[in-house]
Amino acid sequence: MNAEELNPKDLRIGNFVNYKYFNPHPENTEYCFTKVVIRGVYESSIRISFPKQKHIEKVSKVYGIPLSEEVLLKCGFFYDIDSDTFKVSNCTLQIDINGLEIPEAIVFGEVLIHMKYLHQLQNLYYALTGEELEVAL
């Protein structure tokens, strides 16, 4: 898991992130990760929710979900063989992850931004369309 700390200013309500928690199971005590949705953003903490629980945590306990082919497909993107990128049907946004260390977001044929994580894609999509990106993780 990438230990890069997230900045609360880069997070929005509805963003998906990985949450690090301690599993106190007697046979396997270790830190685990689960995908959660942000329900509130504060100066140094966030409100998160996952099944039957909502609570406030330090931002240092959440990590970005890396962009991958699997994540893009779960966000409604499809692979376009002609451009060798992932596209979404209702927007001019393309994502290039092929052989790149950091994926590129391409808008109107120009590289707009490099991004690593799902929450960055969610924020860009919202900025371009005014709508939330549907994510089915």
Side-chain angles (χ1 to χ4, degrees):
M1 181 61 51
N2 187 347
E4 186 174 315
E5 194 166 318
L6 299 180
N7 184 339
K9 293 178 182 178
D10 295 334
L11 301 173
R12 289 177 38 283
I13 293 172
N15 282 157
F16 281 81
V17 292
N18 276 320
Y19 169 61
K20 181 180 178 181
Y21 66 97
F22 183 73
N23 179 5
H25 192 278
E27 294 177 12
N28 191 16
T29 56
E30 62 183 27
Y31 282 99
C32 300
F33 293 89
T34 189
K35 291 171 179 55
V36 297
V37 178
I38 294 177
R39 296 294 180 211
V41 180
Y42 311 101
E43 189 172 316
S44 61
S45 62
I46 57 169
R47 179 178 296 277
I48 59 174
S49 69
F50 48 98
K52 299 182 182 182
Q53 292 186 348
K54 290 182 180 174
H55 59 279
I56 295 177
E57 284 292 347
K58 295 178 182 177
V59 173
S60 61
K61 290 184 121 185
V62 295
Y63 300 85
I65 297 171
L67 285 179
S68 65
E69 179 177 345
E70 177 186 4
V71 169
L72 290 172
L73 293 173
K74 289 182 177 184
C75 293
F77 282 76
F78 62 92
Y79 180 71
D80 179 62
I81 199 163
D82 294 330
S83 65
D84 197 27
T85 61
F86 288 85
K87 295 182 175 182
V88 65
S89 59
N90 64 338
C91 184
T92 61
L93 178 62
Q94 296 170 256
I95 305 296
D96 186 356
I97 61 171
N98 295 312
L100 298 175
E101 187 174 322
I102 302 175
E104 297 176 338
I106 303 166
V107 179
F108 297 117
E110 298 291 327
V111 175
L112 179 66
I113 190 171
H114 292 85
M115 64 180 123
K116 294 181 181 181
Y117 303 114
L118 175 57
H119 70 277
Q120 295 170 318
L121 176 60
Q122 288 179 282
N123 295 347
L124 177 61
Y125 184 87
Y126 183 81
L128 292 172
T129 67
E131 299 175 6
E132 296 295 338
L133 180 64
E134 294 293 324
V135 180
L137 291 181

PDB file of all heavy atoms in Angstrom, residues 5-8 11 17-21 36 38 40 42-48 55-63:
ATOM      1  N   GLU A   5       0.735  10.406   1.939  1.00  0.00           N
ATOM      2  CA  GLU A   5      -0.333  11.012   2.721  1.00  0.00           C
ATOM      3  C   GLU A   5      -1.225  11.887   1.848  1.00  0.00           C
ATOM      4  O   GLU A   5      -0.757  12.631   0.996  1.00  0.00           O
ATOM      5  CB  GLU A   5       0.266  11.843   3.858  1.00  0.00           C
ATOM      6  CG  GLU A   5      -0.750  12.213   4.898  1.00  0.00           C
ATOM      7  CD  GLU A   5      -0.109  12.724   6.170  1.00  0.00           C
ATOM      8  OE1 GLU A   5       0.890  12.131   6.597  1.00  0.00           O
ATOM      9  OE2 GLU A   5      -0.614  13.719   6.700  1.00  0.00           O
ATOM     10  N   LEU A   6      -2.526  11.784   2.072  1.00  0.00           N
ATOM     11  CA  LEU A   6      -3.485  12.574   1.315  1.00  0.00           C
ATOM     12  C   LEU A   6      -3.702  13.925   1.974  1.00  0.00           C
ATOM     13  O   LEU A   6      -3.629  14.057   3.192  1.00  0.00           O
ATOM     14  CB  LEU A   6      -4.819  11.839   1.220  1.00  0.00           C
ATOM     15  CG  LEU A   6      -4.792  10.486   0.521  1.00  0.00           C
ATOM     16  CD1 LEU A   6      -6.185   9.881   0.498  1.00  0.00           C
ATOM     17  CD2 LEU A   6      -4.247  10.612  -0.880  1.00  0.00           C
ATOM     18  N   ASN A   7      -3.990  14.913   1.161  1.00  0.00           N
ATOM     19  CA  ASN A   7      -4.290  16.252   1.644  1.00  0.00           C
ATOM     20  C   ASN A   7      -5.808  16.403   1.726  1.00  0.00           C
ATOM     21  O   ASN A   7      -6.495  16.187   0.729  1.00  0.00           O
ATOM     22  CB  ASN A   7      -3.704  17.281   0.671  1.00  0.00           C
ATOM     23  CG  ASN A   7      -3.886  18.705   1.131  1.00  0.00           C
ATOM     24  OD1 ASN A   7      -4.743  19.014   1.948  1.00  0.00           O
ATOM     25  ND2 ASN A   7      -3.074  19.586   0.592  1.00  0.00           N
ATOM     26  N   PRO A   8      -6.359  16.787   2.887  1.00  0.00           N
ATOM     27  CA  PRO A   8      -7.811  16.926   3.002  1.00  0.00           C
ATOM     28  C   PRO A   8      -8.399  17.890   1.966  1.00  0.00           C
ATOM     29  O   PRO A   8      -9.545  17.744   1.573  1.00  0.00           O
ATOM     30  CB  PRO A   8      -8.024  17.467   4.417  1.00  0.00           C
ATOM     31  CG  PRO A   8      -6.762  17.256   5.136  1.00  0.00           C
ATOM     32  CD  PRO A   8      -5.670  17.111   4.128  1.00  0.00           C
ATOM     33  N   LEU A  11      -9.773  16.171  -1.093  1.00  0.00           N
ATOM     34  CA  LEU A  11     -10.844  15.205  -0.901  1.00  0.00           C
ATOM     35  C   LEU A  11     -12.202  15.894  -0.894  1.00  0.00           C
ATOM     36  O   LEU A  11     -12.334  17.024  -0.427  1.00  0.00           O
ATOM     37  CB  LEU A  11     -10.639  14.451   0.409  1.00  0.00           C
ATOM     38  CG  LEU A  11      -9.328  13.675   0.522  1.00  0.00           C
ATOM     39  CD1 LEU A  11      -9.163  13.121   1.928  1.00  0.00           C
ATOM     40  CD2 LEU A  11      -9.270  12.564  -0.508  1.00  0.00           C
ATOM     41  N   VAL A  17     -11.798   6.016  -0.929  1.00  0.00           N
ATOM     42  CA  VAL A  17     -10.410   5.897  -0.493  1.00  0.00           C
ATOM     43  C   VAL A  17     -10.232   4.550   0.205  1.00  0.00           C
ATOM     44  O   VAL A  17     -11.208   3.878   0.548  1.00  0.00           O
ATOM     45  CB  VAL A  17      -9.991   7.037   0.472  1.00  0.00           C
ATOM     46  CG1 VAL A  17      -9.945   8.378  -0.228  1.00  0.00           C
ATOM     47  CG2 VAL A  17     -10.909   7.097   1.687  1.00  0.00           C
ATOM     48  N   ASN A  18      -8.984   4.156   0.421  1.00  0.00           N
ATOM     49  CA  ASN A  18      -8.669   2.972   1.222  1.00  0.00           C
ATOM     50  C   ASN A  18      -8.493   3.413   2.670  1.00  0.00           C
ATOM     51  O   ASN A  18      -7.775   4.368   2.944  1.00  0.00           O
ATOM     52  CB  ASN A  18      -7.365   2.323   0.734  1.00  0.00           C
ATOM     53  CG  ASN A  18      -7.581   1.400  -0.435  1.00  0.00           C
ATOM     54  OD1 ASN A  18      -8.558   0.665  -0.483  1.00  0.00           O
ATOM     55  ND2 ASN A  18      -6.670   1.444  -1.387  1.00  0.00           N
ATOM     56  N   TYR A  19      -9.128   2.707   3.595  1.00  0.00           N
ATOM     57  CA  TYR A  19      -9.044   3.003   5.020  1.00  0.00           C
ATOM     58  C   TYR A  19      -8.213   1.922   5.702  1.00  0.00           C
ATOM     59  O   TYR A  19      -8.467   0.732   5.541  1.00  0.00           O
ATOM     60  CB  TYR A  19     -10.451   3.058   5.610  1.00  0.00           C
ATOM     61  CG  TYR A  19     -10.511   3.089   7.116  1.00  0.00           C
ATOM     62  CD1 TYR A  19      -9.927   4.127   7.831  1.00  0.00           C
ATOM     63  CD2 TYR A  19     -11.158   2.088   7.822  1.00  0.00           C
ATOM     64  CE1 TYR A  19      -9.979   4.163   9.210  1.00  0.00           C
ATOM     65  CE2 TYR A  19     -11.225   2.114   9.208  1.00  0.00           C
ATOM     66  CZ  TYR A  19     -10.633   3.152   9.892  1.00  0.00           C
ATOM     67  OH  TYR A  19     -10.689   3.179  11.259  1.00  0.00           O
ATOM     68  N   LYS A  20      -7.205   2.343   6.465  1.00  0.00           N
ATOM     69  CA  LYS A  20      -6.320   1.427   7.184  1.00  0.00           C
ATOM     70  C   LYS A  20      -6.830   1.274   8.614  1.00  0.00           C
ATOM     71  O   LYS A  20      -7.006   2.258   9.329  1.00  0.00           O
ATOM     72  CB  LYS A  20      -4.901   1.992   7.193  1.00  0.00           C
ATOM     73  CG  LYS A  20      -3.893   1.127   7.892  1.00  0.00           C
ATOM     74  CD  LYS A  20      -2.520   1.779   7.847  1.00  0.00           C
ATOM     75  CE  LYS A  20      -1.482   0.979   8.569  1.00  0.00           C
ATOM     76  NZ  LYS A  20      -0.170   1.628   8.532  1.00  0.00           N
ATOM     77  N   TYR A  21      -7.068   0.026   9.015  1.00  0.00           N
ATOM     78  CA  TYR A  21      -7.545  -0.232  10.372  1.00  0.00           C
ATOM     79  C   TYR A  21      -6.847  -1.460  10.945  1.00  0.00           C
ATOM     80  O   TYR A  21      -6.305  -2.283  10.208  1.00  0.00           O
ATOM     81  CB  TYR A  21      -9.070  -0.416  10.397  1.00  0.00           C
ATOM     82  CG  TYR A  21      -9.547  -1.645   9.664  1.00  0.00           C
ATOM     83  CD1 TYR A  21      -9.806  -2.820  10.348  1.00  0.00           C
ATOM     84  CD2 TYR A  21      -9.735  -1.634   8.281  1.00  0.00           C
ATOM     85  CE1 TYR A  21     -10.237  -3.960   9.692  1.00  0.00           C
ATOM     86  CE2 TYR A  21     -10.163  -2.759   7.616  1.00  0.00           C
ATOM     87  CZ  TYR A  21     -10.419  -3.916   8.324  1.00  0.00           C
ATOM     88  OH  TYR A  21     -10.836  -5.033   7.666  1.00  0.00           O
ATOM     89  N   VAL A  36     -13.661   2.725   1.498  1.00  0.00           N
ATOM     90  CA  VAL A  36     -14.720   3.461   2.191  1.00  0.00           C
ATOM     91  C   VAL A  36     -15.076   4.714   1.402  1.00  0.00           C
ATOM     92  O   VAL A  36     -14.328   5.150   0.532  1.00  0.00           O
ATOM     93  CB  VAL A  36     -14.297   3.857   3.626  1.00  0.00           C
ATOM     94  CG1 VAL A  36     -14.050   2.632   4.492  1.00  0.00           C
ATOM     95  CG2 VAL A  36     -13.080   4.760   3.616  1.00  0.00           C
ATOM     96  N   ILE A  38     -16.044   8.791   1.662  1.00  0.00           N
ATOM     97  CA  ILE A  38     -15.913   9.966   2.522  1.00  0.00           C
ATOM     98  C   ILE A  38     -17.277  10.644   2.644  1.00  0.00           C
ATOM     99  O   ILE A  38     -17.927  10.928   1.641  1.00  0.00           O
ATOM    100  CB  ILE A  38     -14.863  10.938   1.962  1.00  0.00           C
ATOM    101  CG1 ILE A  38     -13.484  10.278   2.026  1.00  0.00           C
ATOM    102  CG2 ILE A  38     -14.884  12.270   2.708  1.00  0.00           C
ATOM    103  CD1 ILE A  38     -12.374  11.093   1.431  1.00  0.00           C
ATOM    104  N   GLY A  40     -17.609  13.346   5.046  1.00  0.00           N
ATOM    105  CA  GLY A  40     -17.345  14.682   5.559  1.00  0.00           C
ATOM    106  C   GLY A  40     -15.855  14.954   5.528  1.00  0.00           C
ATOM    107  O   GLY A  40     -15.057  14.032   5.709  1.00  0.00           O
ATOM    108  N   TYR A  42     -12.861  17.612   7.032  1.00  0.00           N
ATOM    109  CA  TYR A  42     -12.518  18.639   8.006  1.00  0.00           C
ATOM    110  C   TYR A  42     -11.048  18.993   7.847  1.00  0.00           C
ATOM    111  O   TYR A  42     -10.363  18.451   6.984  1.00  0.00           O
ATOM    112  CB  TYR A  42     -12.826  18.138   9.415  1.00  0.00           C
ATOM    113  CG  TYR A  42     -14.218  17.543   9.506  1.00  0.00           C
ATOM    114  CD1 TYR A  42     -14.400  16.165   9.492  1.00  0.00           C
ATOM    115  CD2 TYR A  42     -15.348  18.357   9.541  1.00  0.00           C
ATOM    116  CE1 TYR A  42     -15.674  15.613   9.542  1.00  0.00           C
ATOM    117  CE2 TYR A  42     -16.621  17.808   9.585  1.00  0.00           C
ATOM    118  CZ  TYR A  42     -16.779  16.439   9.592  1.00  0.00           C
ATOM    119  OH  TYR A  42     -18.033  15.896   9.625  1.00  0.00           O
ATOM    120  N   GLU A  43     -10.528  19.864   8.679  1.00  0.00           N
ATOM    121  CA  GLU A  43      -9.152  20.344   8.526  1.00  0.00           C
ATOM    122  C   GLU A  43      -8.119  19.215   8.562  1.00  0.00           C
ATOM    123  O   GLU A  43      -7.228  19.158   7.734  1.00  0.00           O
ATOM    124  CB  GLU A  43      -8.836  21.384   9.589  1.00  0.00           C
ATOM    125  CG  GLU A  43      -7.522  22.084   9.354  1.00  0.00           C
ATOM    126  CD  GLU A  43      -7.323  23.243  10.300  1.00  0.00           C
ATOM    127  OE1 GLU A  43      -8.269  24.011  10.514  1.00  0.00           O
ATOM    128  OE2 GLU A  43      -6.207  23.352  10.828  1.00  0.00           O
ATOM    129  N   SER A  44      -8.209  18.320   9.533  1.00  0.00           N
ATOM    130  CA  SER A  44      -7.221  17.236   9.623  1.00  0.00           C
ATOM    131  C   SER A  44      -7.873  15.874   9.815  1.00  0.00           C
ATOM    132  O   SER A  44      -7.212  14.910  10.163  1.00  0.00           O
ATOM    133  CB  SER A  44      -6.253  17.497  10.777  1.00  0.00           C
ATOM    134  OG  SER A  44      -6.975  17.537  11.996  1.00  0.00           O
ATOM    135  N   SER A  45      -9.171  15.809   9.589  1.00  0.00           N
ATOM    136  CA  SER A  45      -9.870  14.531   9.735  1.00  0.00           C
ATOM    137  C   SER A  45     -10.970  14.431   8.682  1.00  0.00           C
ATOM    138  O   SER A  45     -11.303  15.409   8.026  1.00  0.00           O
ATOM    139  CB  SER A  45     -10.455  14.390  11.140  1.00  0.00           C
ATOM    140  OG  SER A  45     -11.410  15.399  11.379  1.00  0.00           O
ATOM    141  N   ILE A  46     -11.498  13.234   8.560  1.00  0.00           N
ATOM    142  CA  ILE A  46     -12.590  12.996   7.619  1.00  0.00           C
ATOM    143  C   ILE A  46     -13.632  12.117   8.292  1.00  0.00           C
ATOM    144  O   ILE A  46     -13.330  11.374   9.223  1.00  0.00           O
ATOM    145  CB  ILE A  46     -12.097  12.308   6.333  1.00  0.00           C
ATOM    146  CG1 ILE A  46     -11.402  10.999   6.664  1.00  0.00           C
ATOM    147  CG2 ILE A  46     -11.218  13.215   5.518  1.00  0.00           C
ATOM    148  CD1 ILE A  46     -11.120  10.134   5.471  1.00  0.00           C
ATOM    149  N   ARG A  47     -14.863  12.210   7.824  1.00  0.00           N
ATOM    150  CA  ARG A  47     -15.912  11.284   8.257  1.00  0.00           C
ATOM    151  C   ARG A  47     -16.024  10.239   7.157  1.00  0.00           C
ATOM    152  O   ARG A  47     -16.120  10.573   5.985  1.00  0.00           O
ATOM    153  CB  ARG A  47     -17.248  11.987   8.448  1.00  0.00           C
ATOM    154  CG  ARG A  47     -18.363  11.039   8.880  1.00  0.00           C
ATOM    155  CD  ARG A  47     -19.664  11.779   9.115  1.00  0.00           C
ATOM    156  NE  ARG A  47     -19.558  12.710  10.218  1.00  0.00           N
ATOM    157  CZ  ARG A  47     -19.698  12.401  11.512  1.00  0.00           C
ATOM    158  NH1 ARG A  47     -19.937  11.168  11.870  1.00  0.00           N
ATOM    159  NH2 ARG A  47     -19.586  13.323  12.443  1.00  0.00           N
ATOM    160  N   ILE A  48     -15.944   8.979   7.549  1.00  0.00           N
ATOM    161  CA  ILE A  48     -16.023   7.892   6.581  1.00  0.00           C
ATOM    162  C   ILE A  48     -17.202   6.995   6.920  1.00  0.00           C
ATOM    163  O   ILE A  48     -17.699   7.012   8.044  1.00  0.00           O
ATOM    164  CB  ILE A  48     -14.725   7.054   6.537  1.00  0.00           C
ATOM    165  CG1 ILE A  48     -14.431   6.448   7.909  1.00  0.00           C
ATOM    166  CG2 ILE A  48     -13.570   7.887   6.029  1.00  0.00           C
ATOM    167  CD1 ILE A  48     -13.260   5.484   7.922  1.00  0.00           C
ATOM    168  N   HIS A  55     -17.807   7.016  11.224  1.00  0.00           N
ATOM    169  CA  HIS A  55     -17.035   7.659  12.275  1.00  0.00           C
ATOM    170  C   HIS A  55     -15.983   8.584  11.682  1.00  0.00           C
ATOM    171  O   HIS A  55     -15.737   8.579  10.482  1.00  0.00           O
ATOM    172  CB  HIS A  55     -16.428   6.633  13.230  1.00  0.00           C
ATOM    173  CG  HIS A  55     -15.511   5.647  12.588  1.00  0.00           C
ATOM    174  ND1 HIS A  55     -15.951   4.543  11.925  1.00  0.00           N
ATOM    175  CD2 HIS A  55     -14.163   5.611  12.502  1.00  0.00           C
ATOM    176  CE1 HIS A  55     -14.924   3.855  11.468  1.00  0.00           C
ATOM    177  NE2 HIS A  55     -13.824   4.487  11.799  1.00  0.00           N
ATOM    178  N   ILE A  56     -15.388   9.364  12.553  1.00  0.00           N
ATOM    179  CA  ILE A  56     -14.376  10.330  12.132  1.00  0.00           C
ATOM    180  C   ILE A  56     -13.001   9.730  12.348  1.00  0.00           C
ATOM    181  O   ILE A  56     -12.726   9.125  13.378  1.00  0.00           O
ATOM    182  CB  ILE A  56     -14.541  11.652  12.914  1.00  0.00           C
ATOM    183  CG1 ILE A  56     -15.874  12.285  12.534  1.00  0.00           C
ATOM    184  CG2 ILE A  56     -13.385  12.597  12.640  1.00  0.00           C
ATOM    185  CD1 ILE A  56     -16.211  13.550  13.284  1.00  0.00           C
ATOM    186  N   GLU A  57     -12.139   9.894  11.362  1.00  0.00           N
ATOM    187  CA  GLU A  57     -10.780   9.372  11.424  1.00  0.00           C
ATOM    188  C   GLU A  57      -9.792  10.436  10.980  1.00  0.00           C
ATOM    189  O   GLU A  57     -10.146  11.360  10.254  1.00  0.00           O
ATOM    190  CB  GLU A  57     -10.620   8.159  10.494  1.00  0.00           C
ATOM    191  CG  GLU A  57     -11.230   6.893  11.009  1.00  0.00           C
ATOM    192  CD  GLU A  57     -10.530   6.332  12.240  1.00  0.00           C
ATOM    193  OE1 GLU A  57      -9.415   6.775  12.586  1.00  0.00           O
ATOM    194  OE2 GLU A  57     -11.110   5.438  12.868  1.00  0.00           O
ATOM    195  N   LYS A  58      -8.548  10.264  11.389  1.00  0.00           N
ATOM    196  CA  LYS A  58      -7.478  11.131  10.908  1.00  0.00           C
ATOM    197  C   LYS A  58      -7.238  10.852   9.428  1.00  0.00           C
ATOM    198  O   LYS A  58      -7.350   9.716   8.975  1.00  0.00           O
ATOM    199  CB  LYS A  58      -6.185  10.870  11.683  1.00  0.00           C
ATOM    200  CG  LYS A  58      -6.265  11.235  13.130  1.00  0.00           C
ATOM    201  CD  LYS A  58      -4.969  10.895  13.816  1.00  0.00           C
ATOM    202  CE  LYS A  58      -5.061  11.224  15.291  1.00  0.00           C
ATOM    203  NZ  LYS A  58      -3.850  10.849  16.003  1.00  0.00           N
ATOM    204  N   VAL A  59      -6.892  11.894   8.700  1.00  0.00           N
ATOM    205  CA  VAL A  59      -6.608  11.732   7.276  1.00  0.00           C
ATOM    206  C   VAL A  59      -5.438  10.768   7.072  1.00  0.00           C
ATOM    207  O   VAL A  59      -5.366  10.061   6.070  1.00  0.00           O
ATOM    208  CB  VAL A  59      -6.342  13.100   6.606  1.00  0.00           C
ATOM    209  CG1 VAL A  59      -5.880  12.935   5.180  1.00  0.00           C
ATOM    210  CG2 VAL A  59      -7.599  13.948   6.660  1.00  0.00           C
ATOM    211  N   SER A  60      -4.533  10.690   8.023  1.00  0.00           N
ATOM    212  CA  SER A  60      -3.368   9.814   7.883  1.00  0.00           C
ATOM    213  C   SER A  60      -3.751   8.333   7.819  1.00  0.00           C
ATOM    214  O   SER A  60      -2.917   7.495   7.503  1.00  0.00           O
ATOM    215  CB  SER A  60      -2.385  10.046   9.026  1.00  0.00           C
ATOM    216  OG  SER A  60      -2.999   9.742  10.260  1.00  0.00           O
ATOM    217  N   LYS A  61      -5.011   7.984   8.104  1.00  0.00           N
ATOM    218  CA  LYS A  61      -5.448   6.591   8.056  1.00  0.00           C
ATOM    219  C   LYS A  61      -6.116   6.225   6.739  1.00  0.00           C
ATOM    220  O   LYS A  61      -6.621   5.122   6.591  1.00  0.00           O
ATOM    221  CB  LYS A  61      -6.396   6.299   9.204  1.00  0.00           C
ATOM    222  CG  LYS A  61      -5.720   6.301  10.556  1.00  0.00           C
ATOM    223  CD  LYS A  61      -6.690   5.905  11.615  1.00  0.00           C
ATOM    224  CE  LYS A  61      -6.173   4.680  12.312  1.00  0.00           C
ATOM    225  NZ  LYS A  61      -7.100   4.151  13.290  1.00  0.00           N
ATOM    226  N   VAL A  62      -6.143   7.166   5.785  1.00  0.00           N
ATOM    227  CA  VAL A  62      -6.717   6.845   4.483  1.00  0.00           C
ATOM    228  C   VAL A  62      -5.687   7.032   3.383  1.00  0.00           C
ATOM    229  O   VAL A  62      -4.786   7.868   3.492  1.00  0.00           O
ATOM    230  CB  VAL A  62      -7.999   7.651   4.171  1.00  0.00           C
ATOM    231  CG1 VAL A  62      -9.114   7.304   5.127  1.00  0.00           C
ATOM    232  CG2 VAL A  62      -7.742   9.130   4.154  1.00  0.00           C
ATOM    233  N   TYR A  63      -5.828   6.233   2.349  1.00  0.00           N
ATOM    234  CA  TYR A  63      -4.885   6.221   1.235  1.00  0.00           C
ATOM    235  C   TYR A  63      -5.668   6.204  -0.071  1.00  0.00           C
ATOM    236  O   TYR A  63      -6.787   5.688  -0.125  1.00  0.00           O
ATOM    237  CB  TYR A  63      -3.996   4.970   1.317  1.00  0.00           C
ATOM    238  CG  TYR A  63      -3.207   4.912   2.599  1.00  0.00           C
ATOM    239  CD1 TYR A  63      -3.757   4.374   3.748  1.00  0.00           C
ATOM    240  CD2 TYR A  63      -1.923   5.424   2.660  1.00  0.00           C
ATOM    241  CE1 TYR A  63      -3.045   4.340   4.941  1.00  0.00           C
ATOM    242  CE2 TYR A  63      -1.200   5.393   3.841  1.00  0.00           C
ATOM    243  CZ  TYR A  63      -1.773   4.853   4.977  1.00  0.00           C
ATOM    244  OH  TYR A  63      -1.075   4.823   6.144  1.00  0.00           O
TER     245      TYR A  63
END
